[in-house]
Amino acid sequence: FCHIVAAFPGRANCPYYAKAELLADYLQANLPDFRVHKITQHPDRWEQWLHGICEMNGWEHRQSPIIWRELLDRGGKGLLLGGANDFLEYAQHYYGITSMMLSEEMLDIAEENLQAHMEIEKEEEEIRNHINPLQIWITSASAPICYQVIPLLANGEVFGMTTEISIHLLDTDQFKEVLCGIVMEVEDMAFPLLQDISEHTEIDTAFLQADIIIVLDDILLKREVQSPENYIREVSEICKVYAPLIEKNAKRGVRVISAGKTFVNLKAMMIITYGPSIKPENVIAVATSWESAAKAMLARKLNMNTAGVKDVIVWGNITGCNYIDLSHAKLYRYDCAIWGPANFSRPLLNLICDSKWIHSEFLSAQSSLSSRVCHCAGMLPAHAIATVLRYWFHGSPPGEIVSVGVLSKGQFCVPEGIVFSMPVRFQNGSWEVMTELEINETTQEVLGCLSHDLIQEKRIALKEIKEMHPYGADKITT
């Protein structure tokens, strides 16, 4: 005997499907080589599904159920039997068995089938919602940083080895081919946790259901051509487009990361300004690249591993005038006369004997340090983004300082309402400023100067808003 599989797709509430289904169950229970495969469809989706299956197989059938036979030992396309009456004739002819089900029974079973189908659909929907991937949107996705950050996000180390993600790449039409190339290459890498990756050039659909948004948009600086006011105007225009779309399309608790090589503080502030319903604590600017570059410079001076340098603080305007503070910096596993366990640390300033180097070469080298960060190929800023996201979701190392640009609430006497890089800790999915840190008078004076620069930048940006919204500027500013 051939192994026969009878396929039974039908409308879930169809009484004729119920009659044919019970007869098929009887045949499967009593014939060793007879198998049944059932497919129920919701009444609202039945017509579309039936049209698709018939078109694919070249069949003509217009009612519920549709039944076909597959001979597994022979292979090939299924043989259409027809509807319920056709199957009853088939069973009578080949097996001498028929169904004597009454109409009332058919209707009762059809109702039970519909209820069961709806319960199964509800369970499947709950499962899909439970494993719904994180929706990550990356703007200006043709930038080299994006190319470097995608593998870091998709390998499971940032969000966890059980968290699936979907990545959406957003850029203008002129970079569509670049985005398509990135999508193809990432798909070839077959990351187990990457559910899908897609490119987008239609701005109106940007940030749909976004959980995380990484803003990479940079302004090409040509100071001999444009004034700082023009650059600030460009940043404002970008954020003026993004912020309302984030409010409209993204999830309510969306987390926005301002990254890149220019105006990261300003981008974060303008997104908060133009998007009043976006939670300010969910918008941060990444300073980790400057932290890492400073630690590497110090490690080279001390002839040690960069990973042993901790708690270097970046204050102020991350991609502008900032101050790298070493007063809280510590060294771990430093080769010196005093040894201790792995968690034993020494104050960095106590171990750099050459104080002249600190006050001259290191501080004067900050401009070259910034230049090196801004001209890197993309690995360093990509690693910085991945590190901050990992800390935001899973917490930063206990006791360790992380520099992040956040909206000031007056901490460390920094004026309120500007995005200012300061020391924070990440814990339980959020962050808090480490206000318990003591800062000396010199540092406080520097913070005052840095605040002045950011206030001036904000005034220019708000001037642009007032020109565009003369009657609503106060509301927007507030």
Side-chain angles (χ1 to χ4, degrees), residues 240-255:
K240 181 185 175 184
V241 174
Y242 285 167
L245 288 170
I246 293 172
E247 289 184 299
K248 177 184 176 183
N249 295 338
K251 293 180 181 176
R252 187 174 182 181
V254 62
R255 305 182 190 193

Side-chain angles (χ1 to χ4, degrees), residues 107-125:
L107 292 172
D108 291 341
I109 294 174
E111 183 63 28
E112 292 175 3
N113 283 344
L114 179 60
Q115 292 298 325
H117 178 81
M118 294 175 65
E119 289 177 5
I120 291 172
E121 280 193 334
K122 183 178 178 181
E123 291 176 1
E124 290 177 347
E125 180 67 21

